């Protein structure tokens, strides 16, 4: 097991969180959220990686062969689908904010409430 996937996942998570914390644009904030989510992909794939592992289809390989865990891959695929949905929703909300208030700056949107 390598340390590299975990380090890359932590780096992606940290870069995405930093971008979200310093963002002054809703679109940039959504992009930074996708970077954070990419860190979870790398983490899940790093957890599920098995060196020289085969696909868990036992019809063509001996039962004593090393196989990968399909649950982790399924979780990663589910993560991708959920992220695509969330990003589409957030981008639609950002477009509505631009149409209604004429800005994508979260600070200016907060000032409009009071």
């Amino acid at each position: 097991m390598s340390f590299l996937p975990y380090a890359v996942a932590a780096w992606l998570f940290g870069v995405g969180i930093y971008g979200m914390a310093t963002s002054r644009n809703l679109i940039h904030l959504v992009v930074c959220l996708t970077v954070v989510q990419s860190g979870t992909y790398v983490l899940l794939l790093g957890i599920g990686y098995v060196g020289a592992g085969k696909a868990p289809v036992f019809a063509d390989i001996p039962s004593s062969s090393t196989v990968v865990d399909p649950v982790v891959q399924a979780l990663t695929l589910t993560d991708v689908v959920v992220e695509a949905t969330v990003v589409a929703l957030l981008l639609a909300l950002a477009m509505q904010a631009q149409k209604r208030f004429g800005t994508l700056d979260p600070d200016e949107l907060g000032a409009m409430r009071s």
Side-chain angles (χ1 to χ4, degrees):
M1 181 171 278
S2 174
F3 173 73
L4 185 61
Y6 303 108
V8 170
W11 182 78
L12 285 171
F13 191 83
V15 167
I17 291 293
Y18 176 77
M20 289 172 62
T22 60
S23 177
R24 293 294 133 231
N25 186 310
L26 291 177
I27 304 296
H28 182 259
L29 193 125
V30 172
V31 170
C32 290
L33 180 67
T34 62
V35 171
V36 170
Q37 194 73 24
S38 298
T40 63
Y41 303 156
V42 174
L43 179 65
L44 286 171
L45 292 175
I47 290 171
Y49 178 75
V50 175
K54 296 182 179 184
V57 180
F58 293 104
D60 297 337
I61 59 175
S63 61
S64 61
S65 297
T66 301
V67 295
V68 297
D69 186 5
V71 173
V72 178
Q73 295 171 357
L75 285 173
T76 304
L77 182 60
T78 303
D79 197 14
V80 169
V81 172
V82 168
E83 183 202 6
T85 305
V86 169
V87 166
L89 177 67
L90 291 176
L91 289 176
L93 290 174
M95 288 178 59
Q96 287 299 318
Q98 172 67 30
K99 283 182 183 175
R100 289 184 180 218
F101 304 112
T103 183
L104 289 174
D105 188 354
D107 290 337
E108 291 181 21
L109 291 174
M112 291 181 164
R113 277 189 259 150
S114 56

